[in-house]
Amino acid sequence: MVAEGDKVAVLWTFQGTHTGSGYEGLPPTGTRVEVRGITIWRIVDGRIVEEWSSFSETRAYIRMFAHLKWWLAFAGLLVLAIVIPIEHLGWRMVTKMFAYQRLN
């Protein structure tokens, strides 16, 4: 925390665990979240009359989405494990059908 004249600046870090919805409706991931920022207040007669804050949630989003990627990757692999054998079976049936027609 730094103060000069009528302004006070604070560099802060927010830490928590993403356990509820929020973050644009993203379902809870259980991911540890950390957001750093800076806030500047202008003080008049012992009261805050103006506030400026700057922070980036990008790192928090990246960590949460990275956490979700495992589930998405797993779901994608599961779908592929189901779809590929069905596709191969369908292709076999089609090629046998056309091979049978060529013989006649």
Side-chain angles (χ1 to χ4, degrees):
M1 184 178 289
V2 177
E4 186 173 313
D6 62 349
K7 295 191 182 60
V8 176
V10 178
L11 180 63
W12 50 266
T13 303
F14 164 83
Q15 295 177 334
T17 303
H18 183 229
T19 57
S21 62
Y23 285 100
E24 309 289 328
L26 185 68
T29 62
T31 305
R32 294 278 307 148
V33 177
E34 182 174 299
V35 178
R36 293 188 56 160
I38 186 168
T39 298
I40 301 172
W41 294 293
R42 190 167 73 86
I43 312 291
V44 175
D45 295 327
R47 294 178 182 233
I48 298 171
V49 295
E50 290 183 83
E51 176 181 314
W52 303 274
S53 290
S54 179
F55 57 93
S56 175
E57 295 177 314
T58 304
R59 261 182 46 189
Y61 277 115
I62 288 170
R63 288 194 68 195
M64 283 186 284
F65 284 123
H67 186 78
L68 287 178
K69 280 184 186 176
W70 286 101
W71 293 105
L72 294 174
F74 178 72
L77 288 173
L78 185 61
V79 167
L80 287 176
I82 294 168
V83 168
I84 289 173
I86 291 171
E87 233 177 50
H88 282 287
L89 181 61
W91 181 250
R92 277 186 170 165
M93 290 173 57
V94 167
T95 54
K96 282 184 181 181
M97 184 175 73
F98 282 110
Y100 178 74
Q101 288 179 356
R102 272 189 255 149
L103 294 175
N104 292 333

